[in-house]
Amino acid sequence: MSQNTPSILIADEMHPSLFTMLTDAGFAFDYQPNITRAELISVLTPFDGLIIRSKTTVDADLLSQSPRLRFIGRAGAGLDLIDLDETERRGIQVFHAGEGNRDAVAEQAVGMLLGLLANILKADREVRQGIWDREGNRGYELGSLTVGIIGYGNNGSATARRLSGFGCRVLAYDKYRTHYGDAYAQEASLEQIMADADVLSLHIPLTPDTRQLVNDSFISQMSRPFYLINIARGEITSLSALVRGLEQGKVRGACLDVLENEKLARLTPDQQTAFDYLRQSDRVVLTPHVAGWTHESYVRINEVLVRQIRQMKA
């Protein structure tokens, strides 16, 4: 590090617990949650570290203005905002807090799925309107279904652990790992998941390979009608393809915490058409990118980040 007291620029809004943790770990910091990209580039030069959440894109242009930068901390799980090839070329270490919100993400996935299978949101709306329709809200038991998980890292494995408690069969596929089957999920190929899964849950990062992964072709290759859970990145799923799957009965329902465009006031015409269908459907549960966004995880993410940065300093 360039100084006895490493200095960090915090460029996004963070839970205040982070400040005490950094001070106790021997770091100096400058908290600028409202900083613009242009301002960030102009002031980053003297800092050893940068901590971001979801606002800041770290690319070659920004890094070229940061000759002393030694590490970047992402207060969250995904690293798609960071040019990892460029950080590796420059010898900049990158930390993220995937384990900090995995429990929250897993609970969100199971909660949304249970709500969909049991028609909880639909039934709640109807009862509030004076409609008492028991047969129309007959649900399905999670334990009777096979769940396929794509991506078996922090979030995928935490979700499998909770699903296993319901007695359902859980299959997991992860192209970057081997021998990862455990007491909660059986290691499987993508082809096996497509053949056997009643529920498909996505726990993968956004990359060129995963962008629009769930499209018309993917949906058509699923052997049986299935429920989709996407609490990873919205761009992984084509919403237009999802709508077509719902209309054709190939998709039984969807739990979406993320959308391919989350700026709802700036949707393209095609995105608006798809979103209008999804928001009016009783077979879809929508939440505003809050999986992992609990009061507990807000603090735990900071604990995980600071522990990693502290280990690097040591």
Side-chain angles (χ1 to χ4, degrees):
M1 307 298 290
S2 57
Q3 298 176 349
N4 292 331
T5 303
S7 58
I8 301 172
L9 178 61
I10 304 171
D12 279 288
E13 186 174 350
M14 302 288 172
H15 188 274
S17 62
L18 176 65
F19 311 142
T20 301
M21 295 179 196
L22 287 174
T23 300
D24 291 345
F27 292 94
F29 61 87
D30 187 357
Y31 182 47
Q32 297 192 41
N34 299 315
I35 193 169
T36 66
R37 178 178 173 82
E39 291 168 342
L40 176 61
I41 290 175
S42 69
V43 304
L44 191 54
T45 300
F47 289 93
D48 301 286
L50 172 68
I51 294 180
I52 63 171
R53 185 179 292 280
S54 299
K55 180 185 72 176
T56 304
T57 298
V58 180
D59 54 17
D61 182 44
L62 186 147
L63 293 173
S64 68
Q65 306 299 316
S66 315
R68 283 171 52 175
L69 199 64
R70 296 293 177 265
F71 65 89
I72 299 168
R74 160 81 164 89
L79 293 174
D80 44 283
L81 293 175
I82 301 173
D83 186 335
L84 297 178
D85 291 335
E86 187 67 16
T87 54
E88 182 178 7
R89 189 180 74 80
R90 293 175 177 272
I92 298 171
Q93 295 192 59
V94 177
F95 306 106
H96 69 106
E99 63 185 273
N101 64 0
R102 62 186 176 189
D103 293 336
V105 169
E107 291 184 12
Q108 177 84 9
V110 175
M112 293 180 78
L113 180 58
L114 289 173
L116 184 61
L117 294 175
N119 295 307
I120 290 175
L121 298 182
K122 173 178 175 292
D124 176 79
R125 287 193 296 267
E126 290 176 354
V127 172
R128 291 173 188 270
Q129 296 170 15
I131 301 170
W132 195 262
D133 180 10
R134 296 183 67 203
E135 185 57 36
N137 287 296
R138 188 186 293 271
Y140 293 92
E141 296 176 15
L142 178 51
S144 69
L145 305 177
T146 295
V147 180
I149 291 178
I150 300 182
Y152 206 63
N154 283 304
N155 293 340
S157 58
T159 301
R161 181 171 186 168
R162 284 154 179 81
L163 287 170
S164 67
F166 290 88
C168 56
R169 179 186 180 209
V170 182
L171 304 175
Y173 167 72
D174 193 314
K175 68 181 293 184
Y176 300 106
R177 303 182 64 194
T178 57
H179 309 298
Y180 52 85
D182 55 26
Y184 310 113
Q186 171 190 336
E187 185 174 342
S189 65
L190 182 58
E191 291 73 21
Q192 184 180 359
I193 286 178
M194 290 180 133
D196 294 352
D198 302 295
V199 179
L200 184 68
S201 190
L202 305 175
H203 300 271
I204 48 181
L206 179 63
T207 68
D209 289 337
T210 64
R211 186 179 293 274
Q212 300 283 290
L213 172 69
V214 180
N215 54 23
D216 290 296
S217 175
F218 185 101
I219 291 171
S220 70
Q221 292 177 67
M222 294 291 289
S223 294
R224 59 183 72 182
F226 69 100
Y227 297 95
L228 175 69
I229 304 173
N230 188 7
I231 55 175
R233 286 290 184 265
E235 297 92 332
I236 295 171
T237 299
S238 164
L239 293 189
S240 297
L242 175 59
V243 168
R244 286 188 287 271
L246 288 163
E247 290 175 332
Q248 296 162 7
K250 194 63 185 285
V251 179
R252 298 175 68 179
C255 303
L256 304 175
D257 181 57
V258 290
L259 301 175
E260 56 185 338
N261 183 356
E262 295 176 1
K263 294 177 171 52
L264 299 185
R266 286 183 272 172
L267 300 179
T268 67
D270 286 346
Q271 290 170 343
Q272 188 67 59
T273 298
F275 179 64
D276 287 343
Y277 180 95
L278 295 170
R279 67 177 174 172
Q280 294 170 20
S281 175
D282 288 331
R283 294 182 293 155
V284 178
V285 176
L286 300 166
T287 52
H289 205 147
V290 294
W293 196 254
T294 63
H295 294 284
E296 294 86 352
S297 71
Y298 206 16
V299 175
R300 197 177 300 120
I301 282 172
N302 292 340
E303 294 172 345
V304 172
L305 262 188
V306 174
R307 183 176 71 241
Q308 294 178 82
I309 296 172
R310 195 171 198 164
Q311 289 171 348
M312 178 203 65
K313 179 187 174 188

